[in-house]
Amino acid sequence: MGKPVSFWERCDGMEPSLTLGLDFERGRIFGEVDGLAAVQQAAKLALETPRFRHVIFSGEYGSEVDTLRGKHRDLIRGELERLIAEALTQDDRIEGVEDFSLEFSGDEVICQFTVVSAEGSFTMERRMELGV
């Protein structure tokens, strides 16, 4: 029989996934989430948190998507995918972002995309007022 492997040795190099569950609609904590649900929650938080605005977060956390407000549609079309992927891939559990689609509707741009993670893939949508 070999030497027992500790919990910490098994987890070497892995980021923890278990976290408090957030109810974004009510602004409340509802328990715990893990696995894919935790990655989905982390992705939503990363996109909703403006980068460089809150000193509690490092400069690598958050999104610069809101910097596109008031910009020309061609610039938005060219930069939105990059900014979303940059914000999400800071999380080691997220392997990539793909299948982007953009739709301009009135004063709003709607971006849909697939997040590929170690826990599985899921679709997200990010809406942004153009502010023009």
Side-chain angles (χ1 to χ4, degrees):
M1 201 176 229
K3 177 184 166 199
V5 179
S6 75
F7 171 78
W8 299 112
E9 289 172 317
R10 286 193 316 266
C11 294
D12 188 33
M14 293 173 47
E15 293 292 321
S17 184
L18 182 65
T19 188
L20 295 173
L22 303 175
D23 181 338
F24 292 98
E25 304 280 321
R26 295 182 178 157
R28 296 177 185 254
I29 296 171
F30 64 83
E32 296 175 336
V33 293
D34 199 3
L36 184 61
V39 176
Q40 290 172 314
Q41 179 175 283
K44 181 171 177 58
L45 281 172
L47 288 178
E48 297 296 325
T49 303
R51 184 174 281 174
F52 309 120
R53 196 167 305 162
H54 306 286
V55 295
I56 193 169
F57 298 117
S58 79
E60 296 177 356
Y61 185 80
S63 168
E64 296 178 71
V65 169
D66 288 342
T67 63
L68 296 176
R69 272 203 178 89
K71 306 292 189 214
H72 193 273
R73 287 180 182 212
D74 289 338
L75 178 67
I76 293 170
R77 190 174 281 113
E79 286 292 298
L80 190 57
E81 180 177 336
R82 180 185 68 80
L83 292 175
I84 288 172
E86 188 177 275
L88 295 179
T89 55
Q90 294 301 314
D91 188 319
D92 292 338
R93 298 168 295 180
I94 295 177
E95 299 165 352
V97 186
E98 55 191 35
D99 300 329
F100 278 88
S101 69
L102 284 176
E103 178 186 339
F104 291 92
S105 177
D107 292 354
E108 182 177 60
V109 60
I110 303 161
C111 182
Q112 294 181 328
F113 48 93
T114 300
V115 179
V116 180
S117 82
E119 300 289 342
S121 298
F122 56 94
T123 302
M124 288 188 75
E125 179 177 282
R126 177 69 156 89
R127 292 173 173 260
M128 183 180 76
E129 289 183 23
L130 296 174
V132 192

